[in-house]
Amino acid sequence: MEVATAQRLEPEGSVQHLFDLSTVDMAGVDSLIHDRLQSDVPLIPALGDHLVEAGGKRLRPLLTVAAARLCGARGDAHRKLAAAVEFIHTATLLHDDVVDGSQLRRGKVAAHLIWGGSASVLVGDFLFARAFELMVETGSLQALGILARASRVIAEGEVLQLTRAHDLQLDQATYLVIIRGKTAELFAAAAEAGAVVSGATAAQIAAVAAYGLKLGLAFQLADDALDYGGTSETLGKNAGDDFREGKVTLPLLLAIQRTGAQEAAFWERTVGQHEQSEADFRRARDLIASTGGIASTLALAHEYAEEAKTALQIFPRDEWRVSLEALADFAVDRAA
Amino acid sequence: MEVATAQRLEPEGSVQHLFDLSTVDMAGVDSLIHDRLQSDVPLIPALGDHLVEAGGKRLRPLLTVAAARLCGARGDAHRKLAAAVEFIHTATLLHDDVVDGSQLRRGKVAAHLIWGGSASVLVGDFLFARAFELMVETGSLQALGILARASRVIAEGEVLQLTRAHDLQLDQATYLVIIRGKTAELFAAAAEAGAVVSGATAAQIAAVAAYGLKLGLAFQLADDALDYGGTSETLGKNAGDDFREGKVTLPLLLAIQRTGAQEAAFWERTVGQHEQSEADFRRARDLIASTGGIASTLALAHEYAEEAKTALQIFPRDEWRVSLEALADFAVDRAA
């Protein structure tokens, strides 16, 4: 009854409503994605379909669409940018899965295990280039600059993560630089570019970029918590991948700090030396839970989600704004 | 004194003169390359320097500069495009060496053998994104579109090559599609983009694009011939790499056709099944030479070099045009 009342007062206050509002735009984006995956080289659409049409949440292109509509978009330039954003994201997934040797992606066998790592690298390059072709079509150099910069920062974040794997000394500040680079900057750019092609004011553009950045940080923090608390079904990838790959994320980093000398040998062997048995992940997960590593990570995610919502306050409280506020909560609550 | 005389008669008719003419521009390009390789993530400039500052011939950015000057370039937009072209090329080299498992590049140990394949993939992504950031700075959407398209076609050419490796049925037409994609389209785009930012006419832009395309085809044909006739010193990579990787290039394709049933079992084992001993490359090289596979490949390269020169006839016969004509000859003669 409380829920029903709340919904009557705020019908638009849900992520589902955001998807509903965006149905026509996202159908247009899907159509563009399907169209631009085509190539005379048959392996490209085959591999692309496997990953792109598996879908995933399409959160990043949704962000472009929603930011554009929030800022009064007309025309279809924001759909082309949204498709470009999804292509950039998919290209990085293809490359990351090769880098990480991941087994599962979006609930399906990772592409490199079917077609080989070489095909994944090259099709990733294809998608990246296609993204820029789509951006050129919009005629917006400003949007292009935003997404080119984000693409560069993503690569920097990934390289930083790679060079700091297995590093027990990783501090929280560096961890935040990594997740900002590998995740949050594309969320920010996705929203910012959508605003830019919609004739938004400088203040509006800055506001949606700030929203995207904070949302991305909240989203990645929740993702990193889920990796120790979720199941393969909710993740679409294997739980424990971060631990197995030696990635030092915030839940692990906090557990290492909080268990101190007592567990130093365990962390040094499993993370530092990367010698793990199947039971080690379960023990790590227990230590992370018992030291509050997951709770603290989600608390920080909540802070960023609140900051994301605050950034939207310059906009009138229409259904786009309220749905985007709901998205910020959802980014964290899915992991709680 | 003789040099002075020769310079007076045909001062411009040499590749060296092309480099001389471009000295100031190319120093600017080098400076941009060095500058934009920088990153807060130390692995990126380290790996980038290894490959980019090893230099190579810098033919593609030289092409951008020369095409721009031929069309009366002012300002420095063509230098930024030239640096972007070199970044795109270097990104593809990094990714190709991972894909091919190559040992040697530009006379140095391949980057993936020093820093790992993951680092090569991600730094390639960084360079690709940086290239687009540089292009955005020029403000030319037209140049951006040309180079985005070329980047996509390169990926398609590489994927096509990958899917047709070990394929004894590969025909000459498909081979030409592959080398056009993986090599010639970037030569064409490098020249075309240089013309575009120099206020060239549509006819001039088309002419330098045609020159670049034919030059690229001639260059790759000569490269493929060199892989069976050159030494590691002249190549900057190992001779025989194509054969060892199962790439069916024109010299091999012709030898397979011309030796017919007599050597079918040898080709099937070494190329089709990819079972090779050290002696097999030498035998393949002998068969290719004795059936005229190298001579025919170089003859076709010569044809394209002539077509490249013909494409320049709409320009006045100034020192830029004459030097670019010399470059077309050089692309083939270095392999003769």
Side-chain angles (χ1 to χ4, degrees):
Chain A
M1 188 60 200
E2 272 179 25
V3 173
T5 309
Q7 281 187 344
R8 191 159 43 78
L9 290 173
E10 295 211 8
E12 62 279 34
S14 72
V15 173
Q16 186 53 50
H17 192 66
L18 182 57
F19 281 102
D20 292 345
L21 285 171
S22 310
T23 303
V24 175
D25 273 327
M26 290 303 285
V29 173
D30 281 354
S31 166
L32 275 168
I33 286 173
H34 178 79
D35 197 44
R36 304 308 168 90
L37 267 180
Q38 300 313 307
S39 165
D40 291 337
V41 183
L43 178 62
I44 291 173
L47 196 154
D49 282 353
H50 176 79
L51 194 60
V52 173
E53 307 215 333
K57 295 171 291 290
R58 295 247 207 278
L59 272 188
R60 293 158 189 83
L62 180 68
L63 212 48
T64 303
V65 163
R69 291 293 178 193
L70 184 69
C71 298
R74 293 171 181 276
D76 67 350
H78 62 289
R79 292 184 190 166
K80 286 186 173 170
L81 283 183
V85 164
E86 183 66 7
F87 276 175
I88 291 172
H89 175 55
T90 307
T92 65
L93 292 185
L94 278 170
H95 287 183
D96 289 353
D97 285 348
V98 172
V99 167
D100 295 338
S102 304
Q103 308 286 308
L104 208 59
R105 172 65 72 179
R106 290 180 174 167
K108 299 176 83 168
V109 176
H112 67 99
L113 297 177
I114 302 174
W115 289 280
S118 299
S120 281
V121 170
L122 297 174
V123 175
D125 292 348
F126 171 89
L127 292 175
F128 200 51
R130 268 286 200 235
F132 281 92
E133 286 188 279
L134 271 162
M135 290 183 243
V136 168
E137 288 180 33
T138 69
S140 171
L141 265 174
Q142 194 182 349
L144 247 159
I146 289 163
L147 285 164
R149 179 187 167 281
S151 300
R152 188 252 302 164
V153 174
I154 292 170
E156 287 179 309
E158 297 282 356
V159 175
L160 182 59
Q161 176 173 269
L162 182 72
T163 56
R164 298 301 294 268
H166 312 295
D167 186 344
L168 296 170
Q169 309 304 320
L170 189 81
D171 57 300
Q172 187 163 332
T174 305
Y175 164 80
L176 287 172
V177 170
I178 290 172
I179 68 168
R180 178 178 174 139
K182 75 171 190 170
T183 303
E185 290 279 1
L186 185 57
F187 275 71
E192 189 178 4
V196 158
V197 293
S198 305
T201 65
Q204 289 174 323
I205 293 169
V208 298
Y211 169 82
L213 188 73
K214 305 293 183 174
L215 177 71
L217 290 167
F219 180 85
Q220 188 60 52
L221 282 159
D223 218 50
D224 289 350
L226 271 167
D227 204 59
Y228 289 98
T231 62
S232 302
E233 289 69 42
T234 58
L235 287 172
K237 58 184 185 178
N238 290 320
D241 271 356
D242 291 344
F243 186 73
R244 277 186 281 271
E245 292 160 11
K247 283 182 192 161
V248 181
T249 59
L250 188 58
L252 177 61
L253 188 161
L254 292 173
I256 292 169
Q257 289 174 355
R258 291 171 184 178
T259 52
Q262 201 177 336
E263 299 293 343
F266 173 71
W267 300 123
E268 173 58 26
R269 174 175 62 79
T270 57
V271 180
Q273 301 301 317
H274 208 219
E275 291 169 15
Q276 300 179 2
S277 71
E278 271 303 293
D280 288 326
F281 170 63
R282 291 192 294 276
R283 182 164 176 217
R285 191 172 54 183
D286 291 346
L287 287 168
I288 287 167
S290 65
T291 55
I294 290 177
S296 297
T297 300
L298 290 178
L300 185 58
H302 267 298
E303 282 183 39
Y304 283 122
E306 289 305 316
E307 290 181 25
K309 290 191 274 184
T310 303
L312 296 181
Q313 284 177 355
I314 69 159
F315 292 97
R317 207 162 181 285
D318 70 3
E319 56 185 355
W320 286 103
R321 175 180 147 191
V322 176
S323 302
L324 283 167
E325 289 170 353
L327 178 62
D329 290 328
F330 168 78
V332 183
D333 293 342
R334 71 197 167 96
Chain B
M1 188 61 200
E2 267 180 28
V3 172
T5 309
Q7 280 186 344
R8 190 154 47 74
L9 288 173
E10 282 263 339
E12 63 278 38
S14 72
V15 173
Q16 187 52 51
H17 191 67
L18 182 58
F19 281 102
D20 291 346
L21 285 172
S22 309
T23 302
V24 175
D25 273 327
M26 290 303 286
V29 173
D30 280 354
S31 166
L32 275 167
I33 287 173
H34 178 79
D35 198 44
R36 302 310 168 88
L37 268 181
Q38 299 313 307
S39 165
D40 291 338
V41 183
L43 178 61
I44 292 174
L47 196 154
D49 282 354
H50 176 79
L51 195 59
V52 173
E53 306 216 334
K57 294 171 291 290
R58 294 245 209 277
L59 272 188
R60 292 157 189 81
L62 180 69
L63 211 48
T64 303
V65 162
R69 291 294 177 192
L70 184 68
C71 298
R74 294 171 180 277
D76 68 350
H78 63 288
R79 291 183 190 167
K80 286 185 173 171
L81 284 183
V85 163
E86 184 67 4
F87 277 175
I88 291 172
H89 174 56
T90 307
T92 66
L93 292 185
L94 279 169
H95 287 184
D96 290 352
D97 285 348
V98 172
V99 167
D100 296 338
S102 305
Q103 308 286 308
L104 207 60
R105 172 65 72 179
R106 289 180 175 168
K108 299 176 83 168
V109 175
H112 69 99
L113 297 176
I114 302 174
W115 289 281
S118 299
S120 282
V121 169
L122 297 173
V123 175
D125 292 349
F126 170 89
L127 292 175
F128 201 51
R130 268 285 201 235
F132 281 91
E133 286 188 280
L134 270 162
M135 289 182 242
V136 168
E137 287 180 34
T138 68
S140 171
L141 266 173
Q142 193 182 349
L144 249 159
I146 290 163
L147 285 163
R149 181 188 166 280
S151 300
R152 187 252 303 163
V153 174
I154 292 169
E156 288 181 306
E158 297 282 357
V159 175
L160 183 59
Q161 176 173 269
L162 182 71
T163 57
R164 299 301 295 268
H166 312 297
D167 186 344
L168 296 172
Q169 309 304 319
L170 189 81
D171 57 299
Q172 187 163 333
T174 306
Y175 163 80
L176 287 172
V177 170
I178 290 172
I179 68 168
R180 179 178 174 141
K182 75 171 194 173
T183 304
E185 290 280 0
L186 186 57
F187 274 70
E192 190 178 3
V196 158
V197 293
S198 305
T201 64
Q204 288 174 324
I205 292 169
V208 297
Y211 168 82
L213 187 74
K214 305 293 184 175
L215 178 71
L217 289 167
F219 180 84
Q220 188 60 54
L221 281 160
D223 219 47
D224 290 350
L226 271 168
D227 205 58
Y228 289 97
T231 62
S232 302
E233 290 69 43
T234 57
L235 288 172
K237 58 185 185 181
N238 289 321
D241 271 355
D242 291 342
F243 186 73
R244 277 186 282 270
E245 292 160 11
K247 283 183 193 161
V248 181
T249 58
L250 189 58
L252 177 60
L253 188 162
L254 292 173
I256 291 170
Q257 289 175 355
R258 291 173 183 176
T259 51
Q262 203 178 335
E263 299 292 343
F266 174 70
W267 300 123
E268 174 58 27
R269 174 176 61 80
T270 57
V271 180
Q273 302 300 317
H274 208 218
E275 292 169 16
Q276 299 179 2
S277 71
E278 271 302 293
D280 287 327
F281 169 63
R282 290 193 295 276
R283 181 161 174 219
R285 191 172 54 184
D286 290 345
L287 287 169
I288 287 166
S290 65
T291 55
I294 291 177
S296 297
T297 300
L298 290 178
L300 185 58
H302 266 297
E303 281 181 39
Y304 283 122
E306 289 305 316
E307 290 181 27
K309 290 190 274 183
T310 302
L312 296 181
Q313 284 177 355
I314 69 160
F315 292 97
R317 205 161 182 285
D318 70 2
E319 56 185 354
W320 287 103
R321 176 180 148 190
V322 175
S323 302
L324 283 168
E325 289 170 353
L327 178 61
D329 290 327
F330 168 77
V332 184
D333 293 341
R334 71 198 167 98

